[in-house]
Amino acid sequence: MPEATKIRAVKGTRDLLPPATGLWQRVEDEARRVFAAYHFGEIRTPVLEPADLFARSVGADTDIVTKEMYTFEDRDGERLALRPEATASVVRAYIEHGLFNQGRVNKLYYIGPMFRRERPQKGRYRQFYQIGAEVLGSEAPSIDAELLEMLVLLLDRLGLRGCRLLLNSVGDSHCRPEYVKVLRRALENMQGRLCADCQRRAATNPLRVLDCKVEADQPLIAKLPSILDHLCPECRAHFERLQAELGQRGVKYELAPRLVRGLDYYTRTAFEITSDVLGAQNAVLGGGRYDGLSELLGGPAAPGIGFAIGLDRLILAVEAVGQLKPQEGLAVYIAWLGEAALPPAIELATELRRADWSVELDYEPAKLKKSLGTASKLGARFTVIIGEGELASGRYQVKNMATGEQQEVPAARVGGYLQERIGSTFFARAEIGR
Ligand code: ATP
Ligand code: MG
């Protein structure tokens, strides 16, 4: 038979395997817990969407839509896309299911994969994951403040200190066009001195120049007029209320007048949180207001605000800080010696598993030394040994794998014995050292 070639994962995508996925679960659990405390409900939208949804919301001439989106024609000719982000999907669902009729703000969160065809590197993948939340139906600055407070709490729960919250207002349809005119004029005076991308942006989408990452451009960009000097009275009042409330809630932030977000639909509040433990890709999350998005997608007027956390980068940061432990692994390994010990071993395993303990046992006859080796390789906290002698006496050996200490325990007492030693702490959330 000819040797088959190996099939590998698609470039920019990766398999996440245990035990690494234990940390992902831990982080997702923390997020769900914090979101629940702020009364957010989970929404799960499809990964496949009409391509037009993103062209209309994210913006037809953004990098995401022109260069990064995976689009294809379905067999019946419909243009589909793998979602590059989820805010547009959430707003589509909000309109499609008439959630605005519920007479209150809607607070929704999601966790799932997104797809962008970017150049893969550390912290940047073609399939990546986001945890995000959206609040629809109100433009009250109190909502912006609450959302940011919630994010800070989540990062704190994950043990991430050294994060910076960068805050800006990008104005709205009243004041931004005026600012863009001013910006355009300022850029005309810099013609020829900025990078090629910026020269192009200066003509097509001047706000994007502010987002330029090219080092040599930064001194020039720093000289450009600030949008904060051009906000209309309504946007200014909104931004001031937000800052006052952040102060009241004890949320620390830095004003970042050059912060614009990569998507077209943002209005007013825009923010980003960066982590100093990440390298070049240091933005852990981004978000902001999008008061016109619902109408852009054919829905009613429904102001909204949201954020998306890059989960892959969040995990990198959590690993770098090393304070959050993955979900607990194996509690008990059962080593049985001789065929006669298998049925009681199975019985004990079943009993412990029904009590939610994580249990592993030998599937094939093995020598004690090998079983103990397996148990320690798997990180078992305790090993229960059932051999001929133990069968005869009805007392099993229970070995604490960390200390090596071994004790004889009556068969019926093993569950209780383990409970006393690890039971109370085993499922409890590991406390984060502060
Ligand atoms: P960046 O400037 O890093 O490209 P972005 O502005 O494109 O980010 P958003 O669209 O705001 O990012 O998405 C929110 C978060 O999702 C980002 O802050 C980042 O943590 C994460 N993210 C975005 N693109 C990727 C990717 N290709 N791989 C991994 N994470 C990503
Ligand atoms: Mg990007």
Side-chain angles (χ1 to χ4, degrees):
M1 218 164 73
E3 205 178 309
T5 53
K6 285 200 193 91
I7 297 179
R8 294 177 178 283
V10 173
K11 184 177 173 190
T13 72
R14 33 184 206 148
D15 301 305
L16 301 166
L17 308 171
T21 40
L23 191 61
W24 285 66
Q25 291 175 344
R26 208 35 231 292
V27 169
E28 290 165 11
D29 285 352
E30 289 298 339
R32 289 180 193 280
R33 210 188 311 269
V34 169
F35 295 162
Y38 285 79
H39 196 230
F40 280 72
E42 184 181 2
I43 181 169
R44 300 191 190 196
T45 61
V47 163
L48 275 182
E49 293 278 6
D52 195 36
L53 173 66
F54 304 106
R56 257 160 77 185
S57 58
V58 175
D61 64 36
T62 55
D63 282 356
I64 290 183
V65 169
T66 56
K67 292 195 264 188
E68 299 171 359
M69 198 155 71
Y70 284 93
T71 49
F72 63 95
E73 199 164 289
D74 199 358
R75 287 167 200 269
D76 61 4
E78 192 183 1
R79 295 285 302 163
L80 300 181
L82 294 180
R83 62 178 183 196
E85 58 109 41
T87 301
S89 304
V90 172
V91 176
R92 177 198 51 68
Y94 173 81
I95 298 167
E96 192 164 333
H97 302 283
L99 299 186
F100 46 84
N101 288 325
Q102 293 175 351
R104 47 182 286 275
V105 294
N106 276 272
K107 299 164 99 172
L108 301 164
Y109 80 88
Y110 60 84
I111 301 180
M114 308 295 155
F115 304 84
R116 296 182 195 174
R117 201 172 190 290
E118 303 195 69
R119 195 169 66 76
Q121 52 195 289
K122 192 173 184 209
R124 196 177 286 291
Y125 312 96
R126 292 181 173 179
Q127 173 170 339
F128 61 102
Y129 295 80
Q130 285 185 339
I131 300 183
E134 317 288 346
V135 184
L136 289 145
S138 167
E139 57 177 16
S142 199
I143 288 177
D144 308 35
E146 186 183 85
L147 208 64
L148 291 168
E149 177 193 283
M150 178 170 87
L151 275 170
V152 170
L153 176 63
L154 175 58
L155 296 179
D156 190 53
R157 285 279 167 83
L158 299 177
L160 289 184
R161 258 133 292 153
C163 286
R164 294 164 66 199
L165 167 56
L166 307 174
L167 185 67
N168 194 19
S169 172
V170 295
D172 64 5
S173 57
H174 299 112
C175 51
R176 196 163 49 204
E178 281 308 308
Y179 170 67
V180 170
K181 270 187 213 156
V182 173
L183 189 59
R184 223 183 263 279
R185 269 199 299 279
L187 285 168
E188 273 160 21
N189 294 332
M190 289 181 185
Q191 219 160 29
R193 287 189 285 159
L194 292 166
C195 72
D197 272 341
C198 281
Q199 315 261 14
R200 186 176 48 77
R201 291 183 192 121
T204 58
N205 200 339
L207 274 180
R208 286 281 139 65
V209 174
L210 301 176
D211 206 20
C212 172
K213 303 284 189 305
V214 176
E215 203 54 52
D217 284 2
Q218 299 311 310
L220 288 171
I221 289 171
K223 289 204 194 83
L224 290 169
S226 161
I227 188 154
L228 293 181
D229 298 328
H230 292 84
L231 295 180
C232 61
E234 291 76 18
C235 286
R236 186 185 313 282
H238 190 275
F239 198 45
E240 276 166 10
R241 286 273 311 135
L242 166 59
Q243 292 180 73
E245 245 197 62
L246 288 176
Q248 186 192 323
R249 291 167 188 262
V251 174
K252 295 200 175 57
Y253 60 91
E254 297 166 36
L255 287 184
R258 319 275 159 213
L259 178 76
V260 290
R261 309 264 321 121
L263 322 181
D264 271 356
Y265 53 61
Y266 284 104
T267 52
R268 292 188 173 169
T269 313
F271 56 88
E272 210 167 88
I273 294 185
T274 60
S275 163
D276 59 8
V277 299
L278 294 173
Q281 315 302 329
N282 69 349
V284 181
L285 66 92
R289 253 195 185 281
Y290 45 81
D291 291 342
L293 182 55
S294 173
E295 286 155 294
L296 203 61
L297 295 176
I305 180 168
F307 62 78
I309 306 172
L311 183 51
D312 309 70
R313 287 183 205 173
L314 185 66
I315 299 281
L316 287 172
V318 166
E319 279 171 351
V321 173
Q323 295 229 357
L324 192 75
K325 297 289 164 259
Q327 236 126 25
E328 291 281 2
L330 189 58
V332 184
Y333 196 86
I334 303 174
W336 51 273
L337 309 165
E339 290 293 332
L342 179 56
I346 291 173
E347 199 179 317
L348 178 63
T350 305
E351 176 199 328
L352 296 176
R353 284 168 169 168
R354 290 202 170 143
D356 285 342
W357 298 85
S358 172
V359 177
E360 220 15 307
L361 69 167
D362 287 322
Y363 294 110
E364 286 168 38
K367 297 245 160 58
L368 181 59
K369 199 168 160 217
K370 183 167 173 236
S371 300
L372 287 174
T374 310
S376 85
K377 216 180 290 164
L378 294 177
R381 302 271 298 268
F382 285 84
T383 300
V384 179
I385 301 159
I386 312 176
E388 238 171 75
E390 287 75 25
L391 277 182
S393 69
R395 299 167 73 85
Y396 300 166
Q397 299 288 335
V398 181
K399 187 181 173 89
N400 181 327
M401 300 300 285
T403 64
E405 185 196 338
Q406 194 164 310
Q407 204 163 329
E408 224 177 61
V409 182
R413 273 270 307 138
V414 171
Y417 176 87
L418 292 169
Q419 182 82 43
E420 283 156 24
R421 267 137 200 96
I422 46 177
S424 56
T425 59
F426 196 67
F427 297 103
R429 301 194 289 128
E431 281 308 313
I432 295 167
R434 280 170 207 273

